[in-house]
Amino acid sequence: MYNRVLVANRGEIALRIISTLQDHGIEAIVTASDPDMTGKPARVADGILHLPGESALNTYLDIPLIVDKAKDLGIQAVHPGYGFLAENSEFAKAVIKAKIDFIGPTPDQMIKFGDKIQARNIAIKTDTPLIPGTIEILSHEELLEESKIIGFPLLIKASAGGGGRGIRFVNSFEEMEEQIALAKSEAKLAFNDDRIYIEKFIPHSRHVEVQILGNGDEILHFGERDCTMQRKNQKLIEEAPAPTISRKTVKEIHNSAVELAMGVKYQNAGTVEFLYDQAEKKYYFLEVNARIQVEHPVTEMITGEDLIWRQLQVSAGLDLDISQENIRFKGHAIEARIYAENAYKNFTPSPGRINRISHPIGAGVRVDSAVDDGCEITPFYDPMISKLIVHAHNRDAAIHKLATTLDNYLVTGVHTTIPYISEIVRGDAFKSGDYHTKSLDNVSIEIPDDVELFARAIAAFSLKGKPKTVVNSVSGVSRWKTSFWPRGDEL
Ligand code: ADP
Ligand code: ADP
Ligand code: MG
């Protein structure tokens, strides 16, 4: 095993990786930009690799700087986390060239899966069910022709897209001409790659993905995660096991994921994403994320596994001391992503100083967050505050635990999506499982009568505690007796 590992990332995922490293007696060095020099990962790590500057481009995305400094520091392996350089094959190549291990798939595998068109071709080779659509670069005229065959609505996707970006919804043939042009220029701007393809839109679908781990010889799976609760193609709530889909189908999805990964002798941790068509009861390959994912804790909660440790074992070429039969699933886990955003003002980011933050605790409660009192949410990076994960014996109990835990999550100084998540979790749709990936795009959450008063009420609650007799739940903000709360200077 390694003695010294660099975590080339920031925020909660940096802290998460540092924790596993230190747990196994490995020295953890972490990258830190100027604003992150006083952040929790920098404070907790055994060493800091300083990246002067603020913008991601000048710091966490500067490949030569990170690799040069890593060499100087005698780093043996680099963990890239998710986002930033995690799926950048040039980074992986530069790291390997410097005789440092890259904790992730091979650069070749990253290239193949980073390009969604190539990934679709691998799915064809491995007989994985594929969403009807195109599988090669086509001319403008050819795309128009193909669109008639596929039918409408359909999606135009950027081959290099990710993070819910680079997807355009097209309702009818009349819109195609214009949407192709828009999709191309958008993809060029966002990913510096204007290659696009088209795919049939699957209505009322669920997002189901499989956690895999490979060492080149064998592929293990750690079960599935359901990430159907999304807003604008971005995941908000993730859970395992997947609700509403028969276990027989879920097992088929596991097998498809393993076979696809086998097809390229996949190395390290990855996720094979699928869409499940609820009307047709069919599943289709979506894409592969060649990295550890944001929502990996959900899997860790129900399997008792440390997936970061498994990544280290594979990367260091050590034997995996587990087999598929030993990977057991217990109970139900749900994760909610909490962002510094104002859900009542179209989710505009709410950067600023966190005055007070008090993360909930409890049996079966896990909070992955690098945010603590006085911490600044800067406009430079992702405004995620934390991931709240709960584990209980079944789904109903997990939902109840998540709802009550959210009630006791105290944050002041910035707007958060806690009230919004709380509304969703308490809603009948979530409880019954009767929703699809677009459900949230179609509903508007009730705006409290007085948004400012509401913000102050949260601050009051956070500093002074929950009003014991008047209300006993913070969740239904619109249900609050707002007149109870003090105004202005009283806070
Ligand atoms: P996950 O499936 O792990 O939830 P996401 O798609 O939400 O993954 O992306 C994880 C992180 O990586 C997010 O912070 C997202 O903004 C970032 N990300 C993913 N793909 C890209 C991309 N192509 N360009 C920029 N950021 C990306
Ligand atoms: P990204 O790389 O941005 O994660 P994905 O291809 O994984 O892109 O798609 C992200 C989300 O967009 C999916 O989880 C799903 O909600 C929606 N989506 C993608 N493709 C389709 C499709 N063909 N039909 C319906 N929804 C889709
Ligand atoms: Mg995806």
Side-chain angles (χ1 to χ4, degrees):
M1 189 36 75
Y2 309 114
N3 298 314
R4 180 176 285 187
V5 170
L6 175 69
V7 182
N9 213 300
R10 66 176 302 281
E12 65 86 17
I13 193 65
L15 202 58
R16 164 71 192 87
I17 298 161
I18 292 168
S19 118
T20 292
L21 293 171
Q22 294 181 340
D23 191 16
H24 290 272
I26 303 164
E27 251 191 309
I29 314 294
V30 70
T31 51
S33 65
D34 287 341
D36 287 336
M37 283 299 279
T38 52
K40 203 165 177 184
R43 277 180 274 140
V44 168
D46 302 298
I48 300 173
L49 189 161
H50 183 203
L51 301 169
E54 290 174 328
S55 75
L57 210 58
N58 295 328
T59 58
Y60 298 105
L61 294 173
D62 189 334
I63 297 176
L65 182 66
I66 296 171
V67 176
D68 280 352
K69 288 199 176 190
K71 271 196 286 193
D72 292 346
L73 288 168
I75 298 292
Q76 294 167 312
V78 174
H79 195 306
Y82 59 73
F84 295 122
L85 297 171
E87 285 166 288
N88 187 315
S89 58
E90 293 305 317
F91 180 56
K93 280 184 201 162
V95 167
I96 294 163
K97 198 166 165 231
K99 300 202 163 42
I100 298 172
D101 284 357
F102 180 82
I103 303 168
T106 66
D108 181 53
Q109 291 166 352
M110 286 164 81
I111 292 168
K112 283 193 176 122
F113 288 132
D115 176 346
K116 293 188 179 187
I117 295 176
Q118 278 197 55
R120 283 171 67 78
N121 281 283
I122 293 168
I124 291 173
K125 277 196 205 113
T126 54
D127 283 328
T128 315
L130 195 64
I131 303 173
T134 57
I135 50 162
E136 58 194 342
I137 303 300
L138 297 179
S139 68
H140 188 89
E141 284 65 36
E142 287 170 325
L143 283 173
L144 288 177
E145 276 313 303
E146 285 292 326
S147 75
K148 285 191 212 153
I149 300 166
I150 294 166
F152 291 87
L154 57 73
L155 298 175
I156 306 180
K157 287 187 172 182
S159 197
R165 298 180 314 142
I167 302 178
R168 291 191 89 88
F169 181 85
V170 190
N171 229 331
S172 65
F173 185 74
E174 287 65 47
E175 294 170 20
M176 270 307 272
E177 191 97 20
E178 187 192 356
Q179 291 293 332
I180 291 175
L182 281 172
K184 280 195 155 208
S185 62
E186 197 181 68
K188 178 79 191 157
L189 207 68
F191 314 110
N192 195 29
D193 180 344
D194 73 352
R195 292 169 314 133
I196 54 169
Y197 65 102
I198 55 180
E199 200 175 84
K200 184 178 161 63
F201 177 76
I202 313 286
H204 305 286
S205 52
R206 299 190 77 88
H207 176 114
V208 183
E209 58 183 37
V210 183
Q211 175 68 56
I212 53 159
L213 181 81
N215 62 5
D217 299 327
E218 91 181 296
I219 305 283
L220 299 174
H221 77 79
F222 292 75
E224 80 285 1
R225 292 183 288 257
D226 179 300
C227 315
T228 302
M229 204 51 101
Q230 307 183 355
R231 207 184 77 83
K232 299 200 170 158
N233 300 329
Q234 289 173 343
K235 299 163 187 167
L236 270 188
I237 299 176
E238 301 102 340
E239 62 183 301
T244 75
I245 306 176
S246 79
R247 289 322 288 172
K248 181 175 168 282
T249 304
V250 166
K251 281 194 182 121
E252 285 167 22
I253 298 176
H254 294 165
N255 290 340
S256 284
V258 168
E259 268 161 42
L260 182 106
M262 282 287 225
V264 298
K265 290 191 176 301
Y266 192 82
Q267 297 250 17
N268 219 290
T271 300
V272 188
E273 296 188 334
F274 296 88
L275 270 189
Y276 177 72
D277 184 334
Q278 303 192 95
E280 301 288 330
K281 296 195 169 12
K282 277 188 187 159
Y283 69 92
Y284 300 98
F285 168 74
L286 199 52
E287 65 158 344
V288 173
N289 290 145
R291 55 172 153 87
I292 193 77
Q293 267 185 306
V294 174
E295 58 273 22
H296 77 276
V298 162
T299 302
E300 295 187 327
M301 293 292 256
I302 64 161
T303 59
E305 281 287 324
D306 177 342
L307 291 171
I308 304 290
W309 173 241
R310 295 298 177 197
Q311 288 192 287
L312 287 162
Q313 282 187 317
V314 169
S315 180
L318 300 179
D319 256 2
L320 281 171
D321 44 6
I322 38 160
S323 58
Q324 191 64 59
E325 308 80 71
N326 297 336
I327 301 170
R328 296 279 166 83
F329 306 98
K330 193 176 166 210
H332 199 96
I334 312 179
E335 169 183 285
R337 302 189 191 191
I338 314 284
Y339 288 91
E341 288 173 349
N342 188 342
Y344 300 105
K345 286 191 180 150
N346 201 25
F347 297 85
T348 41
S350 176
R353 191 168 181 271
I354 303 261
N355 296 326
R356 292 271 299 274
I357 185 159
S358 172
H359 301 291
I361 63 155
V365 177
R366 166 173 168 181
V367 180
D368 279 23
S369 176
V371 172
D372 52 8
D373 284 354
C375 174
E376 194 84 31
I377 303 289
T378 79
F380 302 113
Y381 319 113
D382 197 71
M384 191 164 78
I385 294 175
S386 72
K387 304 182 306 204
L388 169 60
I389 310 107
V390 297
H391 184 218
H393 61 280
N394 65 23
R395 186 169 190 266
D396 286 346
I399 292 176
H400 190 260
K401 195 189 286 274
L402 182 57
T404 54
T405 308
L406 283 163
D407 279 354
N408 293 322
Y409 207 151
L410 317 179
V411 187
T412 70
V414 299
H415 286 281
T416 78
T417 51
I418 292 173
Y420 177 70
I421 294 287
S422 197
E423 290 283 348
I424 297 169
V425 167
R426 285 184 154 86
D428 291 338
F430 187 66
K431 285 184 182 159
S432 67
D434 184 13
Y435 54 94
H436 54 85
T437 54
K438 301 282 172 274
S439 294
L440 284 179
D441 298 353
N442 304 330
V443 298
S444 55
I445 296 277
E446 201 179 329
I447 298 176
D449 296 343
D450 185 337
V451 172
E452 285 311 312
L453 181 65
F454 158 65
R456 274 192 247 121
I458 292 209
F461 163 57
S462 299
L463 295 171
K464 296 177 182 172
K466 212 185 270 188
K468 304 292 182 293
T469 51
V470 180
V471 276
N472 55 22
S473 162
V474 189
S475 72
V477 170
S478 46
R479 295 190 291 273
W480 278 13
K481 295 181 182 166
T482 42
S483 58
F484 167 80
W485 297 98
R487 283 185 174 270
D489 293 345
E490 286 182 59
L491 294 176

